[in-house]
Coordinates of all heavy atoms in Angstrom, one line a residue:
Chain X
K197 N 6.2 -3.9 -9.0 CA 6.9 -4.9 -8.3 C 5.9 -5.9 -7.8 O 6.4 -7.1 -7.6 CB 7.6 -4.2 -7.1 CG 8.9 -4.9 -6.7 CD 9.7 -3.9 -5.8 CE 10.8 -4.7 -5.1 NZ 11.7 -3.8 -4.3
M198 N 4.7 -5.5 -7.5 CA 3.8 -6.4 -6.9 C 3.0 -7.1 -7.9 O 2.4 -8.2 -7.6 CB 2.8 -5.5 -6.0 CG 1.9 -6.4 -5.1 SD 2.8 -7.1 -3.9 CE 1.5 -8.2 -3.2
A199 N 2.9 -6.6 -9.1 CA 2.0 -7.4 -10.1 C 2.3 -8.9 -10.3 O 1.4 -9.7 -10.3 CB 2.1 -6.6 -11.4
P200 N 3.6 -9.3 -10.4 CA 3.8 -10.7 -10.6 C 3.5 -11.5 -9.3 O 3.0 -12.7 -9.4 CB 5.4 -10.8 -10.7 CG 5.9 -9.5 -11.0 CD 4.9 -8.5 -10.5
V201 N 3.5 -10.9 -8.2 CA 3.0 -11.5 -6.9 C 1.6 -11.7 -7.0 O 1.1 -12.8 -6.6 CB 3.6 -10.7 -5.7 CG1 3.1 -11.4 -4.5 CG2 5.0 -10.6 -5.7
V202 N 0.8 -10.7 -7.4 CA -0.6 -10.8 -7.5 C -1.0 -12.0 -8.4 O -1.8 -12.7 -8.1 CB -1.3 -9.5 -7.9 CG1 -2.8 -9.6 -8.0 CG2 -0.8 -8.4 -7.0
R203 N -0.3 -11.9 -9.5 CA -0.7 -12.9 -10.5 C -0.3 -14.3 -10.0 O -1.1 -15.3 -10.2 CB 0.2 -12.6 -11.8 CG -0.1 -13.6 -12.9 CD -1.5 -13.5 -13.5 NE -2.0 -14.7 -13.9 CZ -3.0 -15.0 -14.8 NH1 -3.5 -13.9 -15.3 NH2 -3.3 -16.1 -15.0
R204 N 0.7 -14.4 -9.3 CA 1.1 -15.7 -8.7 C 0.0 -16.2 -7.7 O -0.3 -17.4 -7.7 CB 2.4 -15.7 -8.1 CG 2.9 -17.0 -7.5 CD 4.3 -16.9 -6.9 NE 5.4 -17.1 -7.9 CZ 6.6 -17.1 -7.7 NH1 7.0 -17.2 -6.4 NH2 7.4 -17.3 -8.6
I205 N -0.4 -15.3 -6.8 CA -1.5 -15.6 -5.9 C -2.7 -16.0 -6.6 O -3.4 -17.0 -6.3 CB -1.8 -14.5 -4.9 CG1 -0.5 -14.0 -4.3 CG2 -2.8 -14.8 -3.9 CD1 -0.1 -14.7 -3.0
Y206 N -3.1 -15.3 -7.6 CA -4.3 -15.6 -8.4 C -4.2 -17.1 -9.0 O -5.1 -17.8 -9.0 CB -4.5 -14.6 -9.4 CG -5.9 -14.8 -10.1 CD1 -7.0 -14.5 -9.5 CD2 -5.9 -15.3 -11.5 CE1 -8.2 -14.7 -10.2 CE2 -7.1 -15.4 -12.1 CZ -8.3 -15.2 -11.5 OH -9.5 -15.4 -12.2
D207 N -2.9 -17.3 -9.6 CA -2.8 -18.6 -10.2 C -2.8 -19.7 -9.1 O -3.2 -20.9 -9.5 CB -1.4 -18.7 -10.9 CG -1.4 -17.9 -12.2 OD1 -2.6 -17.8 -12.7 OD2 -0.4 -17.5 -12.7
Q208 N -2.4 -19.5 -7.9 CA -2.4 -20.5 -6.9 C -3.8 -20.8 -6.4 O -4.0 -21.8 -5.8 CB -1.5 -20.0 -5.7 CG 0.0 -20.2 -6.0 CD 0.8 -19.7 -4.8 OE1 0.2 -19.1 -3.9 NE2 2.1 -20.0 -4.9
M209 N -4.7 -19.9 -6.6 CA -6.1 -20.2 -6.2 C -6.7 -21.3 -7.1 O -6.3 -21.4 -8.3 CB -7.0 -19.0 -6.3 CG -6.6 -17.9 -5.2 SD -7.2 -16.3 -5.6 CE -8.9 -16.5 -5.6
L210 N -7.6 -22.1 -6.5 CA -8.1 -23.2 -7.2 C -9.4 -22.7 -7.9 O -10.1 -21.9 -7.4 CB -8.5 -24.4 -6.3 CG -7.2 -24.9 -5.5 CD1 -7.8 -25.9 -4.5 CD2 -6.2 -25.3 -6.4
E211 N -9.7 -23.3 -9.1 CA -11.0 -23.1 -9.7 C -12.1 -23.5 -8.9 O -12.0 -24.6 -8.3 CB -11.0 -23.7 -11.1 CG -10.1 -23.1 -12.1 CD -10.5 -21.9 -12.7 OE1 -11.7 -21.5 -12.3 OE2 -9.8 -21.3 -13.3
P212 N -13.3 -23.0 -8.9 CA -13.6 -21.7 -9.5 C -13.2 -20.6 -8.7 O -13.2 -20.5 -7.5 CB -15.2 -21.8 -9.6 CG -15.5 -22.7 -8.4 CD -14.5 -23.6 -8.3
K213 N -12.8 -19.5 -9.4 CA -12.2 -18.4 -8.6 C -12.7 -17.1 -9.4 O -12.8 -17.1 -10.5 CB -10.7 -18.5 -8.5 CG -10.0 -18.5 -9.8 CD -8.5 -18.7 -9.7 CE -7.8 -18.8 -10.9 NZ -6.4 -19.2 -10.9
W214 N -12.8 -16.1 -8.5 CA -13.2 -14.7 -9.1 C -12.4 -13.7 -8.5 O -11.6 -13.9 -7.6 CB -14.7 -14.5 -8.7 CG -15.6 -15.6 -9.3 CD1 -16.2 -15.6 -10.5 CD2 -16.0 -16.8 -8.6 NE1 -17.0 -16.6 -10.7 CE2 -16.9 -17.4 -9.6 CE3 -15.8 -17.3 -7.4 CZ2 -17.5 -18.6 -9.3 CZ3 -16.4 -18.6 -7.1 CH2 -17.2 -19.2 -8.1
A215 N -12.4 -12.6 -9.2 CA -11.5 -11.5 -8.6 C -12.4 -10.2 -8.8 O -13.1 -10.0 -9.7 CB -10.3 -11.3 -9.6
I216 N -12.2 -9.4 -7.7 CA -12.9 -8.0 -7.7 C -11.7 -7.0 -7.6 O -10.9 -7.2 -6.8 CB -13.7 -7.9 -6.4 CG1 -14.9 -8.8 -6.5 CG2 -14.2 -6.5 -6.2 CD1 -15.9 -8.7 -5.3
A217 N -11.7 -6.1 -8.5 CA -10.8 -5.0 -8.5 C -11.5 -3.9 -7.7 O -12.4 -3.2 -8.1 CB -10.4 -4.5 -9.9
M218 N -11.0 -3.7 -6.5 CA -11.7 -2.7 -5.6 C -10.9 -1.4 -5.7 O -9.8 -1.3 -5.6 CB -11.6 -3.2 -4.2 CG -12.1 -2.2 -3.2 SD -11.9 -2.8 -1.6 CE -12.5 -1.5 -0.6
G219 N -11.7 -0.4 -6.0 CA -11.1 1.0 -6.0 C -10.7 1.4 -7.3 O -10.5 0.6 -8.3
A220 N -10.3 2.6 -7.5 CA -10.0 3.2 -8.8 C -8.6 2.7 -9.3 O -8.3 2.5 -10.4 CB -10.1 4.7 -8.8
C221 N -7.7 2.6 -8.3 CA -6.3 2.3 -8.6 C -6.1 0.9 -9.3 O -5.2 0.7 -10.2 CB -5.3 2.3 -7.4 SG -5.1 4.0 -6.8
S222 N -6.8 0.0 -8.8 CA -6.6 -1.4 -9.4 C -7.4 -1.6 -10.6 O -7.1 -2.3 -11.6 CB -7.1 -2.5 -8.4 OG -8.3 -2.2 -7.8
S223 N -8.6 -0.8 -10.8 CA -9.4 -1.0 -12.0 C -8.7 -0.2 -13.2 O -8.3 -0.8 -14.2 CB -10.7 -0.4 -11.9 OG -11.3 -0.8 -10.6
S224 N -8.5 1.1 -12.9 CA -7.7 1.8 -13.9 C -6.5 2.3 -13.1 O -6.3 1.8 -12.0 CB -8.5 3.0 -14.4 OG -9.1 3.8 -13.3
M225 N -5.8 3.3 -13.4 CA -4.7 3.7 -12.7 C -5.1 4.5 -11.5 O -4.3 4.9 -10.6 CB -3.7 4.5 -13.4 CG -3.3 3.8 -14.7 SD -2.1 2.5 -14.4 CE -0.6 3.4 -15.0
G226 N -6.3 5.0 -11.4 CA -6.8 5.8 -10.2 C -6.3 7.2 -10.3 O -6.2 7.8 -11.3
V227 N -5.9 7.7 -9.1 CA -5.4 9.1 -9.0 C -4.0 9.1 -9.6 O -3.5 10.2 -10.1 CB -5.3 9.5 -7.5 CG1 -5.1 11.0 -7.4 CG2 -6.5 9.1 -6.7
F228 N -3.3 8.1 -9.7 CA -1.9 8.0 -10.1 C -1.9 7.3 -11.5 O -2.2 6.2 -11.7 CB -1.1 7.2 -9.2 CG -1.4 7.3 -7.8 CD1 -2.2 6.4 -7.1 CD2 -1.0 8.5 -7.1 CE1 -2.4 6.5 -5.8 CE2 -1.2 8.5 -5.7 CZ -2.1 7.7 -5.1
N229 N -1.4 8.1 -12.5 CA -1.2 7.5 -13.7 C 0.3 7.7 -14.1 O 0.6 8.7 -14.7 CB -2.1 8.2 -14.8 CG -2.2 7.4 -16.1 OD1 -1.4 6.4 -16.3 ND2 -3.1 7.6 -16.9
N230 N 1.1 6.7 -13.6 CA 2.6 7.0 -13.8 C 3.3 5.7 -14.0 O 2.7 4.6 -14.1 CB 3.1 7.8 -12.6 CG 2.8 7.1 -11.2 OD1 2.6 5.8 -11.3 ND2 2.7 7.8 -10.2
Y231 N 4.6 5.8 -13.9 CA 5.5 4.6 -14.3 C 5.4 3.4 -13.3 O 5.9 2.4 -13.6 CB 6.9 5.1 -14.2 CG 7.4 5.7 -12.8 CD1 8.0 4.8 -12.0 CD2 7.3 6.9 -12.5 CE1 8.4 5.2 -10.7 CE2 7.6 7.3 -11.2 CZ 8.2 6.5 -10.3 OH 8.5 7.0 -9.1
A232 N 4.9 3.7 -12.1 CA 5.0 2.7 -11.1 C 3.7 1.8 -10.9 O 3.9 0.8 -10.1 CB 5.3 3.4 -9.7
I233 N 2.7 2.1 -11.5 CA 1.4 1.4 -11.2 C 0.9 0.6 -12.5 O 1.2 1.2 -13.6 CB 0.3 2.3 -10.8 CG1 0.7 3.1 -9.6 CG2 -0.9 1.7 -10.4 CD1 0.3 2.7 -8.4
V234 N 0.3 -0.5 -12.4 CA -0.3 -1.1 -13.4 C -1.8 -1.5 -13.1 O -2.0 -1.9 -12.0 CB 0.5 -2.4 -13.8 CG1 0.7 -3.3 -12.6 CG2 0.1 -3.0 -15.0
P235 N -2.7 -1.3 -14.0 CA -4.1 -1.7 -13.6 C -4.2 -3.2 -13.7 O -3.5 -4.0 -14.5 CB -4.9 -1.1 -14.7 CG -4.0 -0.8 -15.9 CD -2.6 -0.7 -15.3
A236 N -5.1 -3.7 -12.8 CA -5.2 -5.1 -12.7 C -5.5 -5.9 -14.0 O -5.1 -7.1 -14.2 CB -6.1 -5.5 -11.6
D237 N -6.3 -5.2 -14.8 CA -6.8 -5.9 -16.0 C -5.6 -6.2 -17.0 O -5.8 -7.1 -17.9 CB -7.8 -5.0 -16.8 CG -9.1 -5.2 -16.2 OD1 -9.8 -6.1 -16.4 OD2 -9.5 -4.2 -15.4
K238 N -4.4 -5.6 -16.8 CA -3.4 -6.0 -17.7 C -2.8 -7.3 -17.5 O -2.2 -7.8 -18.3 CB -2.2 -4.9 -17.5 CG -2.4 -3.7 -18.3 CD -1.0 -3.2 -18.7 CE -1.1 -2.7 -20.1 NZ 0.0 -2.1 -20.7
F239 N -3.0 -7.9 -16.2 CA -2.2 -9.2 -16.0 C -3.2 -10.2 -15.4 O -2.7 -11.3 -15.2 CB -1.0 -9.0 -15.2 CG -1.4 -8.4 -13.8 CD1 -1.7 -9.2 -12.7 CD2 -1.2 -7.0 -13.6 CE1 -2.0 -8.6 -11.5 CE2 -1.5 -6.4 -12.4 CZ -1.8 -7.3 -11.4
M240 N -4.4 -9.9 -15.1 CA -5.2 -10.9 -14.7 C -6.8 -10.6 -15.0 O -7.1 -9.4 -15.0 CB -5.1 -11.1 -13.2 CG -5.5 -9.9 -12.3 SD -5.2 -10.4 -10.7 CE -6.8 -11.2 -10.4
P241 N -7.6 -11.6 -15.1 CA -9.0 -11.3 -15.5 C -9.7 -10.9 -14.2 O -9.6 -11.4 -13.1 CB -9.6 -12.6 -15.9 CG -8.7 -13.6 -15.3 CD -7.3 -13.0 -15.0
V242 N -10.5 -9.8 -14.3 CA -11.2 -9.2 -13.2 C -12.7 -9.4 -13.5 O -13.2 -9.0 -14.6 CB -10.9 -7.8 -13.0 CG1 -11.6 -7.1 -12.0 CG2 -9.4 -7.7 -12.5
D243 N -13.5 -9.8 -12.5 CA -15.0 -10.0 -12.8 C -15.7 -8.7 -12.5 O -16.6 -8.3 -13.2 CB -15.5 -11.1 -11.9 CG -14.9 -12.4 -12.4 OD1 -15.3 -12.9 -13.4 OD2 -13.9 -12.9 -11.7
V244 N -15.5 -8.1 -11.4 CA -16.3 -7.0 -10.9 C -15.3 -5.8 -10.6 O -14.3 -6.0 -9.9 CB -17.1 -7.2 -9.7 CG1 -17.8 -6.0 -9.2 CG2 -18.1 -8.3 -10.0
H245 N -15.5 -4.6 -11.1 CA -14.8 -3.4 -10.7 C -15.6 -2.6 -9.8 O -16.7 -2.3 -10.2 CB -14.4 -2.6 -12.1 CG -13.6 -3.4 -13.0 ND1 -12.2 -3.4 -13.1 CD2 -14.0 -4.1 -14.1 CE1 -11.9 -4.1 -14.1 NE2 -12.9 -4.5 -14.7
V246 N -15.1 -2.2 -8.7 CA -15.8 -1.4 -7.8 C -15.1 -0.1 -7.8 O -14.0 0.1 -7.3 CB -15.8 -1.9 -6.4 CG1 -16.6 -1.1 -5.4 CG2 -16.3 -3.4 -6.4
P247 N -15.8 1.0 -8.3 CA -15.2 2.3 -8.3 C -15.2 3.0 -7.0 O -16.0 2.7 -6.1 CB -16.0 3.0 -9.3 CG -17.4 2.4 -9.3 CD -17.1 1.0 -8.8
G248 N -14.3 4.0 -6.9 CA -14.3 4.8 -5.5 C -12.8 4.9 -5.1 O -12.0 4.2 -5.6
C249 N -12.6 5.9 -4.4 CA -11.2 6.1 -3.9 C -11.2 6.6 -2.5 O -11.1 7.8 -2.3 CB -10.6 7.1 -4.8 SG -8.7 7.2 -4.5
P250 N -11.2 5.8 -1.5 CA -11.6 4.3 -1.6 C -13.1 4.2 -1.6 O -13.8 5.0 -1.2 CB -11.1 3.7 -0.3 CG -11.1 4.9 0.7 CD -11.0 6.1 -0.1
P251 N -13.6 3.1 -2.1 CA -15.1 2.9 -2.2 C -15.6 2.7 -0.8 O -14.9 2.1 0.0 CB -15.3 1.6 -3.0 CG -13.9 1.0 -3.1 CD -12.9 2.0 -2.8
R252 N -16.8 3.3 -0.5 CA -17.4 3.1 0.7 C -17.5 1.6 1.0 O -17.7 0.9 0.1 CB -18.7 3.7 0.8 CG -18.6 5.2 0.8 CD -20.1 5.8 1.0 NE -20.5 5.3 2.3 CZ -20.7 6.1 3.3 NH1 -20.4 7.4 3.2 NH2 -21.0 5.7 4.5
P253 N -17.6 1.2 2.2 CA -17.8 -0.2 2.5 C -19.2 -0.7 1.9 O -19.2 -1.8 1.4 CB -17.9 -0.4 4.0 CG -17.3 0.8 4.5 CD -17.2 1.9 3.5
E254 N -20.1 0.2 1.9 CA -21.4 -0.2 1.2 C -21.2 -0.5 -0.3 O -21.8 -1.3 -0.8 CB -22.5 0.9 1.4 CG -22.9 1.1 2.8 CD -22.1 2.1 3.7 OE1 -21.0 2.4 3.1 OE2 -22.5 2.5 4.7

Side-chain angles (χ1 to χ4, degrees):
Chain X
K197 208 164 168 180
M198 191 65 189
V201 179
V202 180
R203 180 69 215 202
R204 183 179 275 190
I205 303 277
Y206 185 73
D207 283 338
Q208 283 177 350
M209 288 163 64
L210 306 176
E211 291 284 354
K213 57 188 175 186
W214 297 273
I216 292 184
M218 175 186 177
C221 291
S222 46
S223 320
S224 55
M225 307 277 257
V227 192
F228 321 100
N229 196 345
N230 57 25
Y231 62 90
I233 304 266
V234 60
D237 280 282
K238 269 217 143 172
F239 58 87
M240 60 179 281
V242 173
D243 294 283
V244 174
H245 301 269
V246 181
C249 191
R252 291 187 61 107
E254 292 89 348

